[in-house]
Amino acid sequence: MPLIRLDKASVAFGSRPLLADVGLNIEPGERIGLVGLNGAGKSTLLKVITGQVHLDNGELWIDPACRIAELSQTLPVADERRVWDVVASGIQEVVDMRAQYDEISMATDAKSLTIMDRLLHELEASDGWNLEQRVERVLTRLKLDGEALMSSLSGGWRRRAALGTALVQEPDLLLLDEPTNHLDIDTIEWLEKQLLDFRGGVLFISHDRSLVDHLATRIIELDRGVLTSFVGNYTAYTVQKQVLMEQEERNNALFDKKLAQEEVWIRQGVKARRTRNEGRVRALESLRSERSDRLNRQGKASFNLEAAQRSGKLVAELENVSVGFNGSPVITDFSVSIQRGDRIGLIGPNGAGKSTLLKLILGQLAPDSGTVSHGTKLEVAYFDQLRGQLDPEKSVIDNISEGREVIEINGQRRHIISYLQDFLFAPERARTPLKALSGGECNRVLLARLFSQPANLLVLDEPTNDLDVETLELLEEILMDFKGTVLLVSHDRSFLDNVVTSSIVFENGGVACYVGGYQDWLRQRPATSKEKSPAKAGLSQTGPVEKVEATAVQQKKTPKLSYKLQRELEQLPAQLEEAETQLKALHAETAAPGFYELNHATVAEKLALLKGQEHKIEGFMERWVELESM
């Protein structure tokens, strides 16, 4: 029996349908990832379930025994409340009943006794006598200090308290709207584990592809008002979605061809009128109506960077740099060389010192000791996650144009309205005050402002927050093609893996450099050492980046490869070519029409083979790099 059932549900704002006659069942224990473009209506669907938005048509049925809890996207206020009270507020009705019962428990008048009798039954029905135990269980599970004040907690710990507020309700269904925004990677992975251990159902919206991939048992896509269900995680969804889009394009092409033929026929004049079939005329009118009603897929963002002249080969070099605040060291004896073309990810918990390191690299902060050298011809464009460069009272146009009607991008003059359409802002939306936009739209405005400036050094501080997946993927492609240098602070694991060539990681009280992205760091990081502090590492794209400990002297060259290792290196190209051929065959098989009409076990087996083959190729590539660096 489902927890929730939507039947022929419709919601529209103005003439724009967000839900168009949709159906949805949510079963107990399901973990459903809800995906779709910004503005598609994902948050509206959650609000329909919680009763904040009412259906225009259709039916919403909720199991009377189903308890629903919501983890808000907004962090709890950092006020003077105790964490215990914040968690307990999830069952505030029970808290109030207990307080009322305790207040009149010593009374003997008839009215008080009547109230006490009612409260007694309500507390027993709601397990109110175990209030303290319920709260303490959640605090223990989430490793929260109940006596701590919210004002003393970081954003990650306040997110834990918010989750406690939801879990103390012992819900059957948990609703999450972008739960990972502004969380560091450690907290995201902790949240992921908690949700995997949660026994109830989960319906969640997230742009974090790693989270969706690890958590979801089913993907539901909201596209042009229609809900489509895909069995499996995010990886399986992308494969199935590609097949559906190709089929839709073929169907639309056939439809448009038939419509064009009928339009030619109807315009044939006297000859047509002599032989006109009234049934065919009515069929043509139906085709016209269907074409008019077809909701074309929302356009994808399309933008390019304004390229500046090339910087010098050296962008920045830090030599034995140390910096601290109020007597506490933040960065100690750190050295790094950043070359033109490097794409470097900065990874670490909130408050570890990533912003401090960026200021050192950009020359905005002087080190306590050590030296910082900068290259020549640097033109910096900075993406600020707090959007401090934007004025919320001004319109989108005014925030970008700064009084200009025409801007120049890579030598081409563009009208500001035309330029903003590349970022999915229709003319009327471009005139809207910034304060009326969603978080994702504000980030697109910031990207539009950033990319209109000539730059050869991009500094991106959490650029992925609130962006839909398709805009994220386009941003990845642009950064991959960018010829300048990129410094990227992000907690999006997939984004890091797809963009950066090397990583600077704040770990175990120090800072270390690694080749590759987030997954590469997980494979390379020390397994046992707890107090690591790096010395010098070069981050040039022209050669691998080595991780060097502060206590180590300069590493010596590894001797010439042994015969066995040399043979392994020589055989790797052929093995890689064979593995890629097999992968290509698997891609063709899974993309074939009718593949997803096979039984579930066969589809799952083939998708598992596909994923395993991709991992095999990654292993060959990593081994090749490892052997060649010896």
Side-chain angles (χ1 to χ4, degrees), residues 255-548:
F255 178 93
D256 293 342
K257 181 179 179 181
K258 182 177 180 181
L259 176 60
Q261 291 172 342
E262 294 302 290
E263 292 288 3
V264 170
W265 170 80
I266 200 69
R267 288 176 173 79
Q268 286 181 344
V270 175
K271 179 182 177 183
R273 287 196 292 273
R274 289 174 182 167
T275 60
R276 182 170 296 166
N277 180 302
E278 292 304 320
R280 190 172 178 183
V281 173
R282 288 193 296 272
L284 174 58
E285 291 173 350
S286 176
L287 287 173
R288 287 172 174 171
S289 177
E290 184 178 343
R291 180 63 182 85
S292 176
D293 291 340
R294 185 201 297 170
L295 287 172
N296 291 320
R297 182 174 179 81
Q298 179 183 337
K300 295 183 181 180
S302 172
F303 43 85
N304 290 294
L305 284 166
E306 165 72 347
Q309 62 176 329
R310 294 178 68 185
S311 68
K313 185 176 181 181
L314 176 70
V315 173
E317 186 168 34
L318 281 63
E319 290 276 357
N320 305 115
V321 166
S322 296
V323 67
F325 299 99
N326 300 322
S328 299
V330 176
I331 297 170
T332 304
D333 196 29
F334 178 63
S335 299
V336 68
S337 177
I338 301 173
Q339 306 291 325
R340 181 181 63 229
D342 286 343
R343 297 192 299 274
I344 303 170
L346 275 65
I347 301 173
N350 289 335
K354 300 186 295 297
S355 296
T356 299
L357 180 56
L358 279 180
K359 290 177 181 178
L360 285 170
I361 294 172
L362 297 176
Q364 299 172 358
L365 178 67
D368 297 337
S369 62
T371 59
V372 179
S373 304
H374 294 98
T376 58
K377 301 178 182 178
L378 291 180
E379 296 191 44
V380 181
Y382 190 91
F383 182 101
D384 175 16
Q385 63 166 320
L386 300 178
R387 305 167 188 147
Q389 302 153 314
L390 302 179
D391 185 344
E393 299 299 326
K394 291 183 178 180
S395 68
V396 176
I397 290 176
D398 291 338
N399 268 287
I400 304 302
S401 68
E402 298 177 338
R404 299 170 294 172
E405 287 190 2
V406 176
I407 60 175
E408 189 168 310
I409 305 293
N410 291 329
Q412 295 185 351
R413 292 169 60 83
R414 299 280 305 276
H415 193 279
I416 187 65
I417 293 291
S418 171
Y419 175 66
L420 286 173
Q421 285 177 332
D422 291 347
F423 293 81
L424 300 183
F425 289 106
E428 63 276 7
R429 196 64 173 166
R431 296 182 176 90
T432 303
L434 203 71
K435 61 185 179 182
L437 303 184
S438 68
E441 288 175 314
C442 288
N443 268 13
R444 290 209 304 268
V445 173
L446 193 52
L447 287 174
R449 180 184 175 93
L450 181 78
F451 291 171
S452 67
Q453 305 167 8
N456 51 36
L457 174 58
L458 286 180
V459 182
L460 307 176
D461 188 1
E462 286 292 346
T464 65
N465 285 338
D466 301 313
L467 293 181
D468 58 59
V469 172
E470 293 193 349
T471 306
L472 276 178
E473 291 175 346
L474 177 59
L475 180 57
E476 287 174 358
E477 292 177 13
I478 289 172
L479 295 178
M480 291 288 286
D481 293 338
F482 181 54
K483 302 303 181 185
T485 308
V486 178
L487 300 178
L488 169 66
V489 178
S490 180
H491 301 304
D492 187 319
R493 293 160 288 177
S494 295
F495 194 76
L496 288 166
D497 285 334
N498 293 341
V499 171
V500 305
T501 57
S502 51
S503 302
I504 298 176
V505 185
F506 290 74
E507 57 178 353
N508 304 320
V511 192
C513 300
Y514 296 85
V515 65
Y518 178 74
Q519 294 298 329
D520 298 301
W521 164 59
L522 292 183
R523 285 189 289 268
Q524 299 173 61
R525 63 181 177 176
T528 55
S529 179
K530 296 299 182 184
E531 294 184 2
K532 303 288 185 182
S533 179
K536 182 172 183 178
L539 293 182
S540 173
Q541 240 183 324
T542 59
V545 183
E546 296 177 331
K547 178 181 68 67
V548 190

Side-chain angles (χ1 to χ4, degrees), residues 33-47:
L34 180 58
V35 303
L37 296 174
N38 287 341
K42 303 185 296 296
S43 296
T44 299
L45 178 58
L46 294 191
K47 291 176 180 177

Side-chain angles (χ1 to χ4, degrees), residues 214-270:
H214 295 156
L215 192 59
T217 58
R218 179 158 68 109
I219 299 293
I220 293 177
E221 182 189 53
L222 180 54
D223 179 18
R224 293 162 288 175
V226 177
L227 285 175
T228 307
S229 180
F230 301 84
V231 177
N233 61 6
Y234 186 78
T235 300
Y237 153 75
T238 56
V239 177
Q240 299 173 62
K241 177 62 179 176
Q242 182 63 33
V243 174
L244 285 181
M245 289 182 66
E246 291 172 357
Q247 182 62 45
E248 180 181 353
E249 288 176 3
R250 287 194 292 268
N251 291 342
N252 287 344
L254 290 173
F255 178 93
D256 293 342
K257 181 179 179 181
K258 182 177 180 181
L259 176 60
Q261 291 172 342
E262 294 302 290
E263 292 288 3
V264 170
W265 170 80
I266 200 69
R267 288 176 173 79
Q268 286 181 344
V270 175

